[in-house]
Amino acid sequence: MIAARLSAAGHRVALTARSADQLTEVAGKLSGPSLSLPADVTDPDATNSVFDKIEEAWGPVEVLVLNAGAAVAKPLTKVTDEEWQSQLELNLTAPFRAMRRAIPAMVERGWGRIVVIASTAGKIGEPNVGAYTASKHGAIGLVRTASAELARTGVTVNAVCPGYVDTPMTDGWVTRIAARTGKPEADIRQSLADKQPIRRLIAPDEVADAVELCVLSAAITGQAINVDGGTVQS
């Protein structure tokens, strides 16, 4: 949805994910030019490779939206070292690498927009998502530091913090919780919706609204914008 929104606004959109098939599907729905660049962003060499291909085709990246993410849903004492590290790599280290690669060209041009899709889990603690919560707290801290460093350069850096969104990631979360607890998936999904005062899951286009605002405004920077139906008031 974010890619479609930016494409409709006139941006050329480069897409990256591990699944080439998913990239092809998304690219086929965009209204403007696109590049599909399969990559695993947790691979230290992948970021430079993706940026090199974009720059060769179109020049420096002007708008960077960092939306890769996943969650491990289990009690903290059950999280393995491998699961902990994988959450940090995907949700925190991969955005850091991409930001580090994009910022110099943005500063040189005097304009850039960076938006990290974080989570309300980056602002509060919830049971059974310790590794995810820690990584998202870190992502918001990264955004705040980068925005402070870049405040006078024309480059803005923000986080968008969704609550529970109606996406495949939430579907997977529901399935894992059901497997662990034995509760019906429909009941779990409803319980997630009920955590939000609006009593429903957030729609993907509502997250895209916040991303688009961050791209449009030069005065919004260093923020972690909640899109959560009023769950976290800040």
Side-chain angles (χ1 to χ4, degrees):
M1 182 57 68
I2 294 170
R5 183 70 64 83
L6 293 177
S7 182
H11 296 276
R12 296 174 295 184
V13 177
L15 304 162
T16 187
R18 287 175 294 182
S19 170
D21 290 342
Q22 287 182 338
L23 292 177
T24 299
E25 180 182 354
V26 173
K29 298 176 181 177
L30 301 183
S31 58
S34 66
L35 291 175
S36 294
L37 304 170
D40 180 352
V41 294
T42 64
D43 179 349
D45 297 324
T47 297
N48 283 331
S49 176
V50 167
F51 272 82
D52 287 345
K53 292 172 183 175
I54 296 169
E55 291 166 351
E56 182 179 354
W58 292 339
V61 172
E62 296 177 330
V63 176
L64 178 64
V65 179
L66 300 164
N67 193 29
V72 171
K74 59 172 62 175
L76 190 61
T77 56
K78 302 295 183 181
V79 176
T80 66
D81 284 355
E82 291 76 14
E83 289 169 332
W84 175 266
Q85 191 60 41
S86 71
Q87 292 283 274
L88 295 181
E89 284 289 332
L90 180 59
N91 298 328
L92 179 55
T93 303
F96 157 70
R97 290 191 184 114
M99 289 168 61
R100 182 177 62 185
R101 183 65 166 76
I103 285 169
M106 290 181 175
V107 170
E108 183 178 354
R109 293 164 68 93
W111 195 93
R113 300 288 183 265
I114 299 172
V115 185
V116 178
I117 307 303
S119 170
T120 52
K123 296 188 171 184
I124 59 174
E126 286 198 30
N128 301 316
V129 285
Y132 180 77
T133 296
S135 66
K136 292 300 187 179
H137 272 72
I140 292 174
L142 177 64
V143 162
R144 289 170 172 161
T145 290
S147 70
E149 292 182 3
L150 299 171
R152 298 184 181 181
T153 66
V155 180
T156 67
V157 189
N158 291 287
V160 171
C161 300
Y164 292 100
V165 185
D166 191 7
T167 63
M169 179 176 169
T170 298
D171 294 341
W173 207 332
V174 168
T175 299
R176 289 190 293 273
I177 294 173
R180 191 181 76 244
T181 64
K183 296 179 180 178
E185 290 193 9
D187 291 352
I188 295 168
R189 178 176 289 275
Q190 188 60 52
S191 71
L192 296 180
D194 288 345
K195 287 187 176 191
Q196 302 176 144
I198 58 175
R199 292 295 187 266
R200 64 171 176 82
L201 298 177
I202 305 302
D205 65 326
E206 293 170 324
V207 178
D209 290 340
V211 173
E212 188 171 27
L213 176 63
C214 292
V215 174
L216 289 172
S217 177
I220 298 175
T221 193
Q223 304 306 308
I225 300 171
N226 299 335
V227 185
D228 64 353
T231 304
V232 179
Q233 297 182 356
S234 63

